[in-house]
Amino acid sequence: MFRSFISTKIKFAAIHTSSGQKAIPPIIWLIIKPVSKLSSIIIGRGLRKWLRSPANLHRKQAVIEHFKTKKKHYFFGITGFGAGCYGYYTSHLQLTPITHRKRFIIFNSAHLKEIEEFEKKYILESFKDKVLPVDHKYTINALRIANKLFSANIHLPEVKDIKWKLTVIQSDIVNACAFPNGDVFVFTGLMDFVKNDDELAFIIAHEMSHTILQHGAEQMSHSRIFDIISIALSLIIWSMVPYDTGSIFTEKIAENMQEYFFSLPYERVLEKEADIVGMILSAKACFDVRNNSQFWHRMNDLNEENEMPEFLSTHPSNINRARDLEDFLPQALKIRDECNCYKLPEKKF
């Protein structure tokens, strides 16, 4: 059952992967990553100078001859390394709960504890005088909706095993957020913006879905792959591109391509998945899921002038989110009927 954050000791619920404990913890990687990146640049730059120096011509010829005579050894070595990487990748593939999407994941919620604590501390300190008490009408309403979602989906282990807690913060921000351990923050600006309990239930369910699906751990796992690729690319770029300015420019292009063609699209996939799962959770709790798309249409009206193009964002556009929910609506209504929910009245637009 959901509890208010007030006077509640924080408890972390870990959802373990098969071998997540073998991964370098994210908080340590935050230190290792910039050091490794700088080292790759220094080594690459030194290698470039060595390769371009006329004084090392005889040594370069010797290295070339060495590779020619040992090419079979290097071929099998590189092949073996590639097979090992592939094996590591495939051994850490798993299916997401509910949607059964295949994904690579090496972390679990416990690995994110230090980062999560920092982010929660920042929120609570930023709004330390704005946290509403458990008997406030906003908190009572949010807890009632959250508990209805919890009770209807308690048959899911991913819902049952998490120690859910909810905090309502007095702020005009139209938003909500959730953390891997089950802490959900809802801002009163969102509660004022929604038209009914059905819309608020969908947003809370969306945030719950991020936790249920371990999107935080998945994003961190995904980022680790690209961090390693980025470090390797830095070494190659700084050793092959003739000048420092060219290396900086080329590396920046590579980073932008990675961001816009891989990282951001991947994050949008996770947001879309959380929308769909949130709709499923809401349907099982007998909320009127027909209202879900209307929320994103109104968000589009609110932010239409300031909304950045989708390809530059971590989230799908509000219009596309509304369309995706409308496409999934027949399935959500079917799920709702299967849960023996009350019959919905005719919708008037």
Side-chain angles (χ1 to χ4, degrees):
M1 181 177 292
F2 267 86
R3 295 171 293 169
S4 169
F5 193 87
I6 304 297
S7 301
T8 300
K9 183 179 179 181
I10 299 174
K11 296 181 180 179
F12 288 88
I15 305 174
H16 295 283
T17 59
S18 57
S19 55
Q21 298 293 344
K22 297 179 182 179
I24 298 174
I27 195 70
I28 296 177
W29 183 252
L30 289 177
I31 301 171
I32 295 176
K33 177 185 172 181
V35 174
S36 301
K37 186 82 169 180
L38 179 61
S39 298
S40 68
I41 292 173
I42 294 172
I43 294 171
R45 194 168 183 268
L47 182 59
R48 182 186 68 202
K49 287 185 175 181
W50 186 85
L51 290 171
R52 292 174 63 84
S53 174
N56 293 320
L57 182 60
H58 64 288
R59 293 180 181 177
K60 286 188 284 186
Q61 291 296 331
V63 170
I64 293 171
E65 288 300 321
H66 170 78
F67 276 106
K68 284 182 178 180
T69 57
K70 301 289 185 179
K71 59 183 178 182
K72 287 186 179 180
H73 295 79
Y74 284 105
F75 173 78
F76 287 116
I78 293 172
T79 302
F81 177 76
C85 291
Y86 178 77
Y88 181 82
Y89 178 81
T90 55
S91 68
H92 288 80
L93 291 177
Q94 61 172 228
L95 298 178
T96 57
I98 305 175
T99 59
H100 306 297
R101 173 179 55 84
K102 188 178 288 188
R103 62 178 174 184
F104 171 79
I105 189 165
I106 57 176
F107 297 116
N108 56 52
S109 298
H111 284 120
L112 307 182
K113 182 176 180 179
E114 293 87 353
I115 297 174
E116 180 179 20
E117 281 287 358
F118 176 80
E119 292 179 348
K120 284 195 299 184
K121 184 178 179 180
Y122 174 78
I123 291 176
L124 291 173
E125 286 185 352
S126 299
F127 299 96
K128 60 184 177 181
D129 299 325
K130 301 293 184 179
V131 175
L132 298 182
V134 68
D135 59 349
H136 193 281
K137 64 178 183 178
Y138 279 103
T139 308
I140 292 171
N141 189 45
L143 282 171
R144 176 180 58 81
I145 292 171
N147 278 319
K148 187 176 179 181
L149 288 165
F150 175 81
S151 299
N153 293 280
I154 197 172
H155 62 284
L156 297 171
E158 295 79 14
V159 174
K160 183 180 180 181
D161 294 341
I162 295 174
K163 305 299 182 183
W164 297 99
K165 293 173 286 292
L166 185 138
T167 305
V168 179
I169 297 175
Q170 181 74 49
S171 172
D172 292 335
I173 298 172
V174 183
N175 203 0
C177 61
F179 290 91
N181 78 317
D183 284 325
V184 180
F185 290 83
V186 178
F187 295 91
T188 55
L190 172 68
M191 298 182 70
D192 291 332
F193 179 77
V194 297
K195 291 292 187 182
N196 47 55
D197 287 352
D198 302 304
E199 291 185 358
L200 182 58
F202 166 67
I203 298 303
I204 293 176
H206 169 93
E207 298 303 332
M208 288 176 63
S209 299
H210 282 305
T211 300
I212 292 166
L213 299 168
Q214 294 191 84
H215 279 168
E218 182 178 351
Q219 282 181 303
M220 194 65 70
S221 302
H222 191 256
S223 296
R224 180 65 56 84
I225 294 177
F226 284 109
D227 286 343
I228 294 172
I229 293 173
S230 176
I231 291 168
L233 276 176
S234 289
L235 178 63
I236 295 171
I237 289 170
W238 281 86
S239 63
M240 301 298 293
V241 177
Y243 304 103
D244 288 351
T245 52
S247 297
I248 295 171
F249 182 72
T250 304
E251 188 170 20
K252 189 63 178 177
I253 291 175
E255 289 176 354
N256 287 338
M257 289 181 66
Q258 175 186 309
E259 181 79 4
Y260 298 134
F261 291 101
F262 297 99
S263 297
L264 291 178
Y266 191 81
E267 292 188 37
R268 291 195 291 270
V269 167
L270 300 187
E271 287 298 326
K272 179 179 178 179
E273 184 177 50
D275 274 352
I276 297 301
V277 173
M279 199 173 194
I280 292 172
L281 299 180
S282 298
K284 289 184 176 181
C286 296
F287 287 101
D288 189 347
V289 291
R290 297 174 301 177
N291 291 302
N292 298 352
S293 63
Q294 296 305 310
F295 173 86
W296 291 121
H297 280 300
R298 292 205 326 281
M299 283 294 289
N300 182 68
D301 294 338
L302 180 68
N303 299 318
E304 190 170 13
E305 292 184 1
N306 299 322
E307 188 177 23
M308 67 175 64
E310 183 175 279
F311 76 94
L312 296 175
S313 175
T314 57
H315 290 58
S317 68
N318 293 321
I319 286 296
N320 283 339
R321 297 180 84 163
R323 289 171 180 166
D324 288 337
L325 292 177
E326 288 164 1
D327 290 341
F328 189 74
L329 181 59
Q331 293 173 256
L333 290 173
K334 182 179 179 182
I335 292 170
R336 194 180 182 283
D337 290 340
E338 290 171 351
C339 293
N340 298 317
C341 298
Y342 68 91
K343 186 176 180 180
L344 291 171
E346 291 293 326
K347 191 76 172 176
K348 295 181 180 180
F349 295 98

